[in-house]
Amino acid sequence: MTLPTSIAHPLSDAAAACAAPVRPTRSAIQGVAVTDVQLDADGFWGRRQAINSAATLEHCLQWMERLGWLENFDRVARGEAAPSRPGWQFSDSEVYKLLEAMAWDLARTPDAGLETTFDALVDRIGAAQDDDGYLNTAFGHPGRPPRWSDLAMGHELYNAGHLIQAGVARFRTGHDDRLVEIARRAADQICEEFGEGGLDAVCGHPEIEVALVESGRALGERRYLEQARLFIDRRGRGTLPVRPLLSAEYFQDDVPVREATVLRGHAVRALYLTAGALDVAVETDDDELFDAVTRQWEHTVARRTYLTGGMGSRHQDEGFGDDWELPADRAYCETCAGVGSIMLAWRLYLATGEVRYADLIERTLFNVVATSPSADGTAFFYANPLQQREPGAPAGDGVNKRAEGGIRAPWFDVSCCPTNVARTLASLGSYVASVDTEGLALLQYAAGEVRAGGFVLRIDTAYPAEGIVRVHVVEAPDGVRRLRLRIPSWAPDASLRVGDGDPMRVEPGWADVTRRFAAGDRVVLELPTSPRFTWPDPRIDGVRDTVAVERGPLVLCLESTDLPDGISLDDVRAVTSSAPVAHGDGARLTASVDARESIDGALPYGSRRPSAARTAPLDLALVPYHRWAERGPATMRVFLPVGE
């Protein structure tokens, strides 16, 4: 394949440099800039974004300093041998993800103190960069293994990918400065090392692919895209050495990307790889590759995705299980996999404009990304099970050595999730709306202001606690334009009112208002947010004969905290003859307690079905899953056995 030497920006240079994580050059649809959306500080997402800015960024920085992850760069800069370097070989990437989060945050809310911190951090990492552009503190220096000596597990290209993405964020927010130059030199060195005629290899953890494409888009450098294409096409040949307890599937190195039918192996690796493949397909008009990605997404969402939008059911390899292997209590659902799912679905939406991708983004944002951080932004979930059998032990203020545990922890031995949440929340505005040649589409509902596509819109809503979304036109573009509103798949009875007109019923999908808009126009969307039962496919053995409760985009759960004394969560049965009712931001549910006799013997099985004694109906409170464990350690479950 012969590619042009540069990437042209059909939407103008201003659009190409727009402050957004993803800017396809061959798409008629573009996400808005993070600077185009101002979220209200007292709204659901505005509050989380403000806490991320005020607390999470500094929290992450302090932990990296405390554990010596930043000092790793200083040692390399000084030329010191480091046989006992602190942190995993991928700890550099956390610094880069934090820089990316800071870059987006500085664009959204300029802050002199944060800018000073950012510049100082860039200086420290830049001092560790080799003359040829290579930058890594775990390899290639005195006391460390040689460069590229462990491509399966060394994460060298993965680390570089996050560095490059941080550079993209800085460039797209109006700065062609030292970080951009550091990232550019790292990308150039990788192209020299792994391009045609160089090392014919791939990284065990995909990430470099999305970074190279986005850097190529931002900087107009076509060879970065070509290198990403090479990495995608080299995948699936079984060249990565397999470690004990792992497999080629773990690395997505078992089947070429174009031939795969479903996401498999390590969930984060699979999602990052597929997002990169989609980017390559879009930029090169590769229909075969595009169709392969779409096919894998469809199969994975239909058979390997949790109700929360979480992905990855296996703890051993942090990976996808087989079709229908979705146990609630053993769900891994790594927070980073949720971020990866959003990355992939967003790219698919920009390429197609299909509402189903924005629907999954909403589900994952509210029930994975919002679940991970504590209310104060200084503790996090790594894994997100849908059932907790034993209350988690208090995390304390040290490093959590386990990814799971039923309680948010301030930091982890492998702390990829806090920084991934930080960069996602910092850039969240970009996912709120999109623009195209016909107008503007509102994709995610949040209180605030949107300035894009010639519109200035004021959004007033208490979503998701309430389903009314009021859109006020403050400024309007000239001519006839389209204002598009997403109607979620869970809202079959939504209504739309334009101005003083009568409400009109709208079906799930898109509701379009096409007209000559003027300041003062109003559009009101009303989404039904009454609690509803959700039933699992009977092929999911782990939750057969159970039911969940959802309210709007929120998955609800029952915590032991809300049970009467003496009642175990294991004995609660949902009574489905009466619908759940709204209660605060959750619901109340009629339930019974089915206290079955125990089987006391050598094995926990018997030849006679245990008898049960049911209580009178109970009225129990369900809370949004994203709030579970906020009141302290508890048992919890999303899917409840069905009673009578």
Side-chain angles (χ1 to χ4, degrees), residues 1 3 7-8 10 22-30 213-214 217 222 225 228-229 232 258 274-294 343-353 357:
M1 178 182 294
L3 298 174
I7 297 178
V22 185
R23 298 295 294 177
T25 66
R26 294 172 178 263
S27 174
I29 303 172
Q30 296 290 340
V213 174
E214 215 56 57
R217 288 166 168 168
R222 194 75 188 193
L225 170 61
R229 185 187 67 80
I232 294 296
R258 297 171 187 276
T274 314
L278 194 283
D279 281 337
V280 170
V282 168
E283 293 301 327
T284 61
D285 292 325
D286 191 331
D287 292 340
E288 179 191 47
L289 185 57
F290 187 93
D291 291 345
V293 170
T294 304
M343 289 169 57
L344 174 56
W346 181 240
R347 286 161 167 80
L348 285 163
Y349 167 73
L350 294 178
T352 67
Y357 301 119

Side-chain angles (χ1 to χ4, degrees), residues 82-257:
S84 58
R85 171 190 175 277
W88 288 86
Q89 60 268 39
F90 41 78
S91 65
D92 291 359
S93 71
E94 310 314 330
V95 182
Y96 304 147
K97 281 187 284 182
L98 178 60
L99 281 172
E100 182 186 347
M102 288 178 172
W104 297 127
D105 213 62
L106 283 166
R108 193 178 58 80
T109 53
D111 178 271
L114 182 59
E115 189 78 51
T116 298
T117 299
F118 179 91
D119 289 342
L121 192 53
V122 170
D123 285 343
R124 291 177 76 176
I125 70 166
Q129 189 168 34
D130 290 353
D131 291 341
D132 66 352
Y134 180 84
L135 178 54
N136 193 288
T137 69
F139 293 86
H141 300 289
R144 307 306 308 163
R147 294 181 185 184
W148 320 121
S149 57
D150 186 8
L151 282 170
M153 301 299 288
H155 292 73
E156 286 171 271
L157 289 169
Y158 168 86
N159 290 346
H162 281 300
L163 169 64
I164 293 166
Q165 285 196 291
V168 169
R170 189 63 171 169
F171 183 79
R172 288 224 172 110
T173 53
H175 304 271
D176 193 356
D177 57 9
R178 190 174 187 197
L179 178 59
V180 178
E181 180 60 22
I182 291 168
R184 192 195 306 261
R185 291 179 62 215
D188 288 343
Q189 194 273 331
I190 288 168
C191 290
E192 290 295 325
E193 195 82 44
F194 291 90
E196 293 286 2
L199 288 174
D200 183 11
V202 296
C203 183
H205 197 311
E207 214 296 322
I208 188 63
E209 298 84 358
V210 290
L212 284 171
V213 174
E214 215 56 57
S215 185
R217 288 166 168 168
L219 301 175
E221 181 56 73
R222 194 75 188 193
R223 69 171 178 156
Y224 296 166
L225 170 61
E226 168 63 7
Q227 186 61 56
R229 185 187 67 80
L230 284 174
F231 282 140
I232 294 296
D233 285 343
R234 288 171 182 169
R235 204 99 192 170
R237 303 183 308 185
T239 57
L240 289 168
V242 175
R243 304 293 176 88
L245 303 180
L246 299 180
S247 65
E249 181 182 88
Y250 173 84
F251 300 107
Q252 296 78 47
D253 199 30
D254 56 327
V255 179
V257 177

Side-chain angles (χ1 to χ4, degrees), residues 576-598:
T576 58
S577 56
S578 58
V581 296
H583 175 71
D585 60 353
R588 298 200 73 87
L589 173 74
T590 301
S592 63
V593 175
D594 188 358
R596 295 184 179 273
E597 64 177 333
S598 300

Side-chain angles (χ1 to χ4, degrees), residues 489-547:
S489 59
W490 49 261
D493 298 315
S495 67
L496 186 74
R497 186 172 73 252
V498 180
D500 296 325
D502 295 329
M504 303 174 292
R505 181 174 176 176
V506 286
E507 299 292 332
W510 297 116
D512 292 344
V513 180
T514 303
R515 60 185 296 178
R516 189 180 299 273
F517 286 91
D521 285 349
R522 293 177 294 113
V523 177
V524 179
L525 175 65
E526 187 164 357
L527 301 170
T529 55
S530 298
R532 63 191 185 277
F533 286 122
T534 299
W535 303 86
D537 189 293
R539 289 171 287 187
I540 307 175
D541 289 335
V543 290
R544 186 176 291 142
D545 297 325
T546 65
V547 70

Side-chain angles (χ1 to χ4, degrees), residues 240-552:
L240 289 168
V242 175
R243 304 293 176 88
L245 303 180
L246 299 180
S247 65
E249 181 182 88
Y250 173 84
F251 300 107
Q252 296 78 47
D253 199 30
D254 56 327
V255 179
V257 177
R258 297 171 187 276
E259 299 174 17
T261 59
V262 66
L263 300 186
R264 69 237 176 267
H266 188 278
V268 180
R269 284 170 163 85
L271 288 158
Y272 283 4
L273 174 67
T274 314
L278 194 283
D279 281 337
V280 170
V282 168
E283 293 301 327
T284 61
D285 292 325
D286 191 331
D287 292 340
E288 179 191 47
L289 185 57
F290 187 93
D291 291 345
V293 170
T294 304
R295 178 176 65 242
Q296 293 170 46
W297 184 90
E298 289 174 343
H299 190 138
T300 302
V301 172
R303 299 188 177 202
R304 299 187 177 189
T305 300
Y306 282 91
L307 181 64
T308 56
M311 293 187 179
S313 60
R314 293 182 177 175
H315 287 234
Q316 174 181 300
D317 56 0
E318 299 184 307
F320 289 98
D322 296 329
D323 289 353
W324 317 115
E325 185 185 337
L326 296 166
D329 54 347
R330 293 295 296 163
Y332 198 69
C333 292
E334 183 183 341
T335 298
C336 286
V339 171
S341 174
I342 291 168
M343 289 169 57
L344 174 56
W346 181 240
R347 286 161 167 80
L348 285 163
Y349 167 73
L350 294 178
T352 67
E354 293 182 18
V355 72
R356 57 180 176 163
Y357 301 119
D359 277 352
L360 185 67
I361 290 171
E362 176 183 66
R363 179 175 295 277
T364 310
L365 280 172
F366 277 111
N367 301 296
V368 178
V369 172
T371 304
S372 178
S374 60
D376 66 0
T378 63
F380 307 86
F381 278 137
Y382 186 110
N384 295 278
L386 278 69
Q387 181 177 353
Q388 184 71 26
R389 292 187 177 274
E390 296 291 337
D397 61 357
V399 175
N400 193 325
K401 297 294 185 181
R402 298 180 63 228
E404 60 280 340
I407 201 75
R408 294 174 181 86
W411 204 249
F412 298 92
D413 186 35
V414 176
S415 239
C416 48
C417 296
T419 51
N420 234 347
V421 168
R423 69 177 183 141
T424 302
L425 290 177
S427 60
L428 185 65
S430 182
Y431 303 102
V432 167
S434 66
V435 293
D436 58 30
T437 56
E438 297 185 55
L440 181 144
L442 289 176
L443 308 173
Q444 306 299 331
Y445 298 118
E449 188 173 89
V450 178
R451 294 174 171 266
F455 285 97
V456 177
L457 303 177
R458 171 67 208 174
I459 316 296
D460 291 321
T461 183
Y463 193 83
E466 297 177 5
I468 300 176
V469 181
R470 298 177 179 86
V471 181
H472 305 270
V473 178
V474 180
E475 296 179 16
D478 295 333
V480 175
R481 306 294 287 168
R482 182 183 69 192
L483 178 60
R484 166 169 279 186
L485 288 84
R486 181 179 62 89
I487 312 302
S489 59
W490 49 261
D493 298 315
S495 67
L496 186 74
R497 186 172 73 252
V498 180
D500 296 325
D502 295 329
M504 303 174 292
R505 181 174 176 176
V506 286
E507 299 292 332
W510 297 116
D512 292 344
V513 180
T514 303
R515 60 185 296 178
R516 189 180 299 273
F517 286 91
D521 285 349
R522 293 177 294 113
V523 177
V524 179
L525 175 65
E526 187 164 357
L527 301 170
T529 55
S530 298
R532 63 191 185 277
F533 286 122
T534 299
W535 303 86
D537 189 293
R539 289 171 287 187
I540 307 175
D541 289 335
V543 290
R544 186 176 291 142
D545 297 325
T546 65
V547 70
V549 178
E550 294 183 273
R551 181 175 175 183

